[in-house]
Amino acid sequence: MAQATVSAFERSRRRLYVPFLVPAVLLYLVFVIGPTVAAVWISFHRWDGVTEMQWNGLGNYTALLDDPTFRTALINTLLILVVAGVAIFVISFVLTMIVREMRWRSFVRSVLFFPHVVSAIVLSIIWGFLFQHNGVVNTILDRLFGAEPIAWLNADNLFTMILIGTVWLSTGLYVTIIMAGVDRIPPYFYDEALLAGANAVQRLRHVTLPLSWDVISVAAIFWTISSLKIFEFIYAFGGTTNDLPPPAVWNSALFVYGESFGGRSPSYLFGYASASAVLMLALFAVLIVILRRVLRRESLEY
Amino acid sequence: MQVRIRLPHRRVTALVAVLTLGLATASCGSDETGGESGEEFTYWSMWQESEPQAKVLAQAIDTFEQDTGITVNVEWQGRDNITKLLAALRTDDVPDLVDQQYFTISNAIVGNDQFIDLTDVLDQQIPGEELTVGDALTDKYDMFTTTDDGAHFLVPYEVIGYSIWYDAAAMPAVAQNPPTTWDDFAAVLAESKAAGRNPLALDGDIAGYAEYWTATALVRTLGAGGFHDLVADEDAAGWDSPETREALTAIAELAANDYFIPGYDSSKFPAIQTKWAQGEADFLYMGSWAPTETGEFAAPEFEYRSFNFPSFGGDESLPASVIGFAVPKPADQAEAASEFIAYFMNADRLGQISSTANNLTPRADIDVPDQLADVNALVQSQELSMITDGVLGDFSDFDKKVFQPLNLRLMTGEITAEEFIAEITTAQQDYWAQQR
């Protein structure tokens, strides 16, 4: 729009943007951009949080790559992203397809959403009760099949249980998002597909997926970001009041905590912890850019 | 004394760093200038308000305020009070008094010289008594509370002794003749197993509890400080020795013989110690808080007794720890805080830690609860050693990332003592190489 044609009303409306925008920008600068920049700066130092920082160049980063605990945390983070992510989306689609044709679907939807509403800490405590040695699950298995107790929570199985727990916690949210996308698809596409003899999988592939693609790609990005931030479920499920979970189940968020404030006798390695956080931020930024390119499609109008 | 000028921009950096690490709520405003009533100081307590120790301290604070006119701004912060202190050290909002286990304090504020030397407090007379704080405490606990240079960074008010607990009502034979050597102990365990009982309880999800076993066994064969030295060695050369092998083999056999109660590796604390209190396992190696923590689950006739971790022929020290007061260096009201420390050391007030909170105190002249009679006798008669030989405090990062996970594999029978030695030697060399 040419400058000359801007009305007085339009001009004053534009001026009004500034007071609305400034507080948000300031808050964002102080609480998000600032700390991120500080973390990058701290990551080049050795720092116990109190005394002078000592310049360490890329020392923290090279040490991270040699640290088996960090490599485990990195692998665990990627496992959560990929394995739990695939499971969440597959289950979400299956549930969407089933619930779409159910009678009390808004009620079912609420039930599915429920785990996402309840605090992850509470759920992790419940999971502890369910799966510990003489917990509910082993008791039921014993009553029904006379099975020996299964060590769900021992060192070998703990991470698998965390993956399952993460899927269970998160699926409700993605079912809800995907279902909202699917609900917008006019029913006559499905009627048409049915008349053409399409089965459920074909309907998914030729109707549901293409017509809800924008919603799915947003959900995928959303999952990528939130998977990096998963913390409290692992912390509370794997650890105790004063103790961190075993390092074998740490993800990158727990690694940051474990190397800074976490545990009975914290490590206070703030430079090292910041370096790991920065490295993960960089890795996930790249992942998200790639993901956005891969998921990009012409958006369909209907 | 070096005067450090704290520049505002560094405070911002510190604040920002805290926020970055996701602890935006870490610093709590408290240091309001009260003004007219005169002196006051701020105390960040490790206890939560509902805990018995908090009630004892709160009562002492009340009378202290009446007796001295000094106001105490107490915040019952719980166990992460020192973490919050660390975040606050670069701000103007620093408490004048904190308390915690000695290694938590030393790990946070000793190496970086952020404490006030409390040697003067030891020379203060205890209000209401004819003796000084130092006289009352003796030097028994100096090993926990002083730096290498002899500065006192802590004044202890609670002592923790670690011993092997059992129910004397259920095991009168053990009560009559508690095992003193590892061979005796192994025989008792074998007997218990043969009788179809579960000899040992351990909440294996707390890696630190599992570590007590191995660390103490190593102290027994190497002497106090021996485990600490092993870990401090960048070449990790000491692990392959007959002494470590003896200790580690003894620990590995506990798992190999299935002495631990089933589920010890796959339960949630406090499930296993609760089972022990309910008589489902015979022995529990735990700090002197064991009776208070398990009491509500134990049968009325349960008789708490305990004995020292068995000897391998040499060391017979009692693994111990202390909880005490410390004053951070930037504290404005260090004087008032010191006055309260001396005030609390009075036998009547400190005695409440024993009579009300059921714990041991550092004053030998205070009566102890019946349940703690055995462990108190050990505290008085034995040399003390640091629990985990000080490794948890001095090498916390190594401990939680390298030693504890490997130890858990040893104690669940996943690896043998030989495999443990091979793995920890490499892992420790790598760890120290990476630190350089």
Side-chain angles (χ1 to χ4, degrees), chain B residues 307-337:
Chain B
F307 54 85
N308 198 2
F309 193 94
S311 130
F312 284 73
D315 177 84
E316 291 182 353
S317 64
L318 179 77
S321 176
V322 296
I323 290 171
F325 293 117
V327 179
K329 195 169 210 167
D332 298 326
Q333 304 297 330
E335 282 287 311

Side-chain angles (χ1 to χ4, degrees), chain A residues 106-130:
Chain A
S106 57
F107 171 73
V108 174
R109 222 186 266 200
S110 314
V111 172
L112 288 171
F113 195 65
F114 182 72
H116 196 78
V117 179
V118 181
S119 148
I121 303 277
V122 174
L123 290 175
S124 62
I125 293 168
I126 296 173
W127 268 56
F129 278 120
L130 288 177

Side-chain angles (χ1 to χ4, degrees), chain B residues 97 116-127 131-137 152-156 325-327 334-345:
Chain B
L97 184 68
I116 285 180
D117 185 356
L118 298 173
T119 305
D120 289 349
V121 178
L122 299 180
D123 298 333
Q124 280 183 37
Q125 191 171 334
I126 298 174
L131 72 178
T132 65
V133 175
D135 292 339
L137 296 180
H152 284 82
F153 65 86
L154 195 86
V155 175
F325 293 117
V327 179
E335 282 287 311
S338 307
E339 212 174 307
F340 176 73
I341 297 174
Y343 182 85
F344 190 64
M345 290 301 136

Side-chain angles (χ1 to χ4, degrees), chain B residues 1-71:
Chain B
M1 197 204 304
Q2 191 195 351
V3 178
R4 227 162 45 80
I5 301 164
R6 294 194 300 279
L7 297 172
H9 81 264
R10 283 175 26 203
R11 292 211 294 271
V12 172
T13 316
L15 173 67
V16 159
V18 168
L19 292 170
T20 314
L21 292 159
L23 284 180
T25 54
S27 63
C28 301
S30 60
D31 216 19
E32 295 94 4
T33 40
E36 72 275 357
S37 68
E39 272 190 282
E40 62 179 332
F41 73 89
T42 305
Y43 164 39
W44 286 3
S45 175
M46 70 178 282
W47 308 106
Q48 280 164 356
E49 205 162 1
S50 57
E51 293 182 275
Q53 282 92 338
K55 288 173 185 155
V56 171
L57 283 158
Q59 203 183 354
I61 287 168
D62 277 350
T63 55
F64 177 75
E65 290 183 331
Q66 286 159 20
D67 292 353
T68 62
I70 299 174
T71 308

Side-chain angles (χ1 to χ4, degrees), chain B residues 89-276:
Chain B
L89 275 173
R90 291 172 72 96
T91 71
D92 291 328
D93 188 21
V94 183
D96 305 295
L97 184 68
V98 291
D99 55 357
Q100 253 293 0
Q101 278 207 63
Y102 80 95
F103 59 78
T104 309
I105 301 262
S106 73
N107 184 23
I109 59 172
V110 170
N112 50 23
D113 191 29
Q114 290 299 306
F115 67 98
I116 285 180
D117 185 356
L118 298 173
T119 305
D120 289 349
V121 178
L122 299 180
D123 298 333
Q124 280 183 37
Q125 191 171 334
I126 298 174
E129 289 187 72
E130 289 300 309
L131 72 178
T132 65
V133 175
D135 292 339
L137 296 180
T138 70
D139 59 1
K140 178 128 196 163
Y141 305 101
D142 282 2
M143 58 183 291
F144 302 103
T145 61
T146 54
T147 64
D148 295 341
D149 309 331
H152 284 82
F153 65 86
L154 195 86
V155 175
Y157 68 79
E158 185 177 310
V159 174
I160 300 166
Y162 296 79
S163 52
I164 298 184
W165 293 89
Y166 63 99
D167 175 10
M171 281 176 281
V174 174
Q176 215 151 48
N177 188 18
T180 54
T181 67
W182 187 266
D183 289 342
D184 291 348
F185 186 50
V188 172
L189 297 177
E191 206 178 302
S192 157
K193 183 78 189 169
R197 296 200 302 272
N198 298 307
L200 298 172
L202 169 68
D203 277 292
D205 59 331
I206 298 191
Y209 285 0
E211 182 180 12
Y212 294 163
W213 282 92
T214 314
T216 313
L218 286 166
V219 167
R220 288 289 183 257
T221 59
L222 297 164
F227 175 39
H228 191 276
D229 290 347
L230 272 187
V231 170
D233 178 11
E234 296 188 6
D235 299 324
W239 285 101
D240 191 5
S241 77
E243 291 81 13
T244 54
R245 195 164 273 116
E246 186 186 9
L248 295 170
T249 308
I251 296 298
E253 275 173 8
L254 300 178
N257 291 329
D258 286 332
Y259 284 164
F260 291 106
I261 183 170
Y264 74 107
D265 61 340
S266 57
S267 295
K268 298 299 286 178
F269 171 82
I272 299 293
Q273 69 174 32
T274 302
K275 285 186 177 186
W276 168 78

Side-chain angles (χ1 to χ4, degrees), chain A residues 16-66:
Chain A
L16 210 62
Y17 282 146
V18 178
F20 277 110
L21 200 61
V22 165
V25 169
L26 276 180
L27 285 174
Y28 197 71
L29 273 173
V30 170
F31 290 107
V32 180
I33 305 291
T36 310
V37 172
V40 175
W41 177 245
I42 294 166
S43 74
F44 296 120
H45 297 80
R46 272 174 197 273
W47 191 39
D48 64 1
V50 179
T51 48
E52 289 301 310
M53 286 192 227
Q54 289 172 305
W55 181 255
N56 193 22
L58 290 173
N60 287 328
Y61 290 93
T62 51
L64 273 175
L65 300 177
D66 286 336

Side-chain angles (χ1 to χ4, degrees), chain A residues 132-148:
Chain A
Q132 67 172 333
H133 182 77
N134 59 347
V136 177
V137 174
N138 277 343
T139 311
I140 292 174
L141 288 176
D142 177 41
R143 295 272 159 80
L144 290 182
F145 310 108
E148 283 292 305

